[in-house]
Every structure is written in C-alpha cells, then in structure tokens.
Amino acid sequence: MSELLAAFVMPNDPAVDKTLRAASDVLRRAGKKDGIDGYEAKSRTRVWSEREVGRT
C-alpha cells in the first residue's frame, strides 16, 4: 500500500520539505547528485538512486 502514500500528502506541508532535504543530504553523502529531479533527469539510474534513498 506504500504506493498510495503520495495520494495523501499535502504538498505544502513542512514535512515534505524536511523529507526532501534529508533525501538530498543522503544522496550528497553518497557522492551522488543531490537534486531531487526524478523522471525529469530522463535517467532510470537516477530514479533508482532516488528510490533507494527513500528505502533507507
């Protein structure tokens, strides 16, 4: 059911910004690009990198 979580998130909630900032920090510490750009990067590898951050 985790795929439904985004349907219940308020985009302007401060928790969203906090979560994205934390994910960006994890990517930076792993030596990867720290932007959260998802599919806009047009790279499956990039999307998987961001996804893995969400699982930690």
Side-chain angles (χ1 to χ4, degrees):
M1 297 298 271
S2 63
E3 64 274 8
L4 297 176
L5 180 62
F8 299 100
V9 173
M10 303 275 298
N12 294 325
D13 191 295
V16 173
D17 187 47
K18 182 178 177 183
T19 302
L20 291 175
R21 193 173 306 123
S24 179
D25 289 344
V26 170
L27 287 168
R28 186 179 314 109
R29 286 193 305 271
K32 300 182 180 186
K33 182 179 161 196
D34 62 353
I36 306 294
D37 49 10
Y39 290 100
E40 291 178 4
K42 297 182 179 168
S43 165
R44 288 182 180 176
T45 304
R46 179 68 185 152
V47 173
W48 281 100
S49 293
E50 291 180 19
R51 179 186 171 276
E52 289 304 310
V53 168
R55 297 184 64 170
T56 59

